[in-house]
Amino acid sequence: SAQTSPTTRPLKIVLHVSDPDGWPPALSNARNLAQKYPEVKVRVVADGSGVYGYQGSNDIVSVMAMTAKAGVEFQACHNALDEKQIPVTSLATYVKVVPAGVIALAEAQREGYAYVKP
């Protein structure tokens, strides 16, 4: 049946963005999931040059803010921020800085998130 039983765990998806080109498809996925499947937990982990996507004000950042309001979690790798000399204070308040993106991705999967690289 279409109804979910109490034993069914909500679906959880972690989207991995490791370079700037990954942002448009990841945010498109995040936006669609937030709008059409609000019960699905969505987390975005950016590492490598993907952390550049958290910089400045552009259409990507405005979509990011909108999806964050809808419950999508955003994480940034501290190692990558250091490497790219991006100050943590320059990030939007909804971005959670994690020590290492790779660890964050592994932890998400251990928590039951399905890994997706859009």
Side-chain angles (χ1 to χ4, degrees):
S1 75
Q3 288 186 327
T4 52
S5 70
T7 54
T8 310
R9 291 183 318 198
L11 194 59
K12 299 193 281 190
I13 298 170
V14 61
L15 303 170
H16 182 198
V17 179
S18 59
D19 63 77
D21 293 344
W23 278 111
L27 285 173
S28 173
N29 287 169
R31 189 176 56 212
N32 290 337
L33 289 164
Q35 287 171 350
K36 299 182 175 119
Y37 305 92
E39 72 285 358
V40 175
K41 283 182 66 90
V42 181
R43 181 180 294 169
V44 180
V45 175
D47 63 2
S49 54
V51 295
Y52 285 127
Y54 289 133
Q55 291 289 277
S57 58
N58 48 50
D59 52 345
I60 284 180
V61 175
S62 56
V63 173
M64 210 182 283
M66 188 184 78
T67 56
K69 278 199 187 81
V72 175
E73 292 175 35
F74 289 91
Q75 296 185 349
C77 169
H78 201 291
N79 292 334
L81 294 172
D82 281 352
E83 208 175 89
K84 315 291 180 205
Q85 300 181 328
I86 297 170
V88 170
T89 52
S90 73
L91 303 181
T93 52
Y94 55 77
V95 180
K96 180 184 174 199
V97 176
V98 295
V102 171
I103 299 289
L105 290 165
E107 284 174 343
Q109 288 170 85
R110 190 172 61 191
E111 290 167 30
Y113 282 77
Y115 174 88
V116 177
K117 181 120 191 215

